[in-house]
């Protein structure tokens, strides 16, 4: 074999090896996981926050149209975008997402009356209060009234029915899915919640609503309302967390005592 033929043979083997390595690396390549998105805004008390501090913080969020969010603080973005953010933050007619906290568990008519003047209500938070028992807090998304409905009562009733169906279905199960430490007690509190909701007992402890700062202040002034906390106008739906303040949390936002017996459903 000539020298030229040997060189060509070696080069051919090298090409085959390179192609094989590329194929193997391509097969093994995995895309990096996508970030779920960072939730920089939140409504409701932080874990362990003193209730009086949270109530003051919620009231402060309604002092100015912009509240205390990124737009008001002037963070990030180029000058033009920042100017737009500042204009939105100071606009008294800009609508804002807000958590309306009940002074006590409300019935559907009570809850509807509290937010009657707000242009939108998109979330319902439910808990049946029981002394000495940490009852579950469940939230559902609401739609606005459909054609032929003159008010929000049917919407809120549908929201409560969603809660009962979710609790009756029980927590997700399967390999790798964490389960409550006391599944029997969790099932008992869920069944009690369903029973009392269907009996018409008060169970609404919070609403996620939207309105202007002035509209939200009017809601906060009602005697049945414990607090209204608003986000800045630039907060985006489903990009903020909600932590409802429970009626029985009177000192701080700690887990409720859970040593009492669960009443029969």
């Amino acid at each position: 074999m000539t020298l030229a033929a040997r060189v060509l043979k070696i080069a051919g083997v090298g090409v085959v090896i390179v192609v094989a390595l590329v194929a193997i690396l391509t097969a093994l390549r995995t895309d990096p996981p996508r970030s779920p998105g960072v939730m920089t805004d939140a409504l409701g008390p932080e874990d362990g926050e003193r209730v009086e501090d949270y109530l003051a913080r919620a009231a402060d969020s309604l002092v100015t149209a912009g509240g205390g969010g990124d737009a008001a603080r002037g963070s990030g973005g180029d000058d033009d975008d920042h100017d737009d953010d500042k204009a939105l933050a100071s606009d008294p007619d800009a609508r804002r997402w807000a958590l309306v906290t009940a002074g006590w568990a409300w019935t559907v008519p009570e809850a509807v009356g509290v937010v009657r003047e707000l242009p939108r209500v998109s979330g319902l938070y439910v808990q049946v209060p029981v002394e000495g028992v940490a009852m579950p807090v469940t939230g559902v998304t609401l739609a606005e009234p459909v054609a032929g409905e003159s008010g929000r009562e049917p919407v809120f009733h549908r929201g409560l029915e969603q809660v009962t169906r979710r609790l009756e279905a029980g927590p997700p199960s399967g390999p790798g899915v964490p389960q409550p430490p006391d599944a029997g007690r969790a099932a008992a509190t869920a069944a009690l919640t369903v029973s009392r909701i269907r009996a018409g007992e008060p169970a609404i402890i919070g609403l996620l609503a939207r309105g202007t700062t002035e509209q939200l202040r009017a809601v906060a002034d009602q005697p049945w309302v414990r607090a209204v906390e608003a986000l800045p106008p630039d907060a985006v739906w489903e990009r903020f967390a909600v932590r409802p303040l429970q009626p029985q949390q009177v000192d701080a936002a700690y887990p409720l005592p859970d040593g009492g017996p669960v009443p029969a459903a």
Side-chain angles (χ1 to χ4, degrees), residues 6 28 42 70 78 90 101 106 160 180 187 198 243 260:
R6 290 178 180 176
L28 293 176
D70 290 342
D78 59 33
S90 61
T101 298
W106 291 330
L160 290 176
R198 291 192 168 151
R243 305 177 292 251

Side-chain angles (χ1 to χ4, degrees), residues 96-122:
R96 309 167 62 190
W97 290 109
L99 175 62
V100 180
T101 298
W104 53 84
W106 291 330
T107 63
V108 165
E110 289 171 338
V112 168
V114 164
V115 293
R116 191 179 306 279
E117 302 303 322
L118 294 184
R120 185 163 186 82
V121 180
S122 296

Side-chain angles (χ1 to χ4, degrees), residues 68-78 81-83 85-86 89 234:
D70 290 342
R73 290 191 296 268
S75 61
D78 59 33
D81 290 341
H82 179 48
D83 289 342
D85 286 345
K86 287 194 295 184
D234 62 349

Side-chain angles (χ1 to χ4, degrees), residues 25-107:
L25 291 174
T26 301
L28 293 176
R29 183 182 63 84
T30 57
D31 293 326
R34 293 182 179 180
S35 170
V38 178
M39 292 190 179
T40 57
D41 290 316
L43 289 167
E46 299 176 359
D47 290 342
E49 183 176 9
R50 290 181 58 81
V51 169
E52 63 180 285
D53 293 340
Y54 170 68
L55 298 181
R57 184 161 61 82
D60 286 345
S61 75
L62 299 177
V63 171
T64 60
D70 290 342
R73 290 191 296 268
S75 61
D78 59 33
D79 290 341
D80 290 338
D81 290 341
H82 179 48
D83 289 342
D84 291 341
D85 286 345
K86 287 194 295 184
L88 178 63
S90 61
D91 181 2
D93 295 324
R95 293 183 177 180
R96 309 167 62 190
W97 290 109
L99 175 62
V100 180
T101 298
W104 53 84
W106 291 330
T107 63

Side-chain angles (χ1 to χ4, degrees), residues 100 102 105-121 123-124 142-145 150-160 204 206-207 209 219 222 224-225:
V100 180
W106 291 330
T107 63
V108 165
E110 289 171 338
V112 168
V114 164
V115 293
R116 191 179 306 279
E117 302 303 322
L118 294 184
R120 185 163 186 82
V121 180
L124 186 77
L142 301 176
E144 284 295 274
S150 59
R152 290 193 174 108
E153 287 203 19
V155 177
F156 284 17
H157 280 298
R158 286 195 293 271
L160 290 176
I204 299 172
L207 298 166
V219 172
Q222 298 180 60
W224 292 358
V225 175

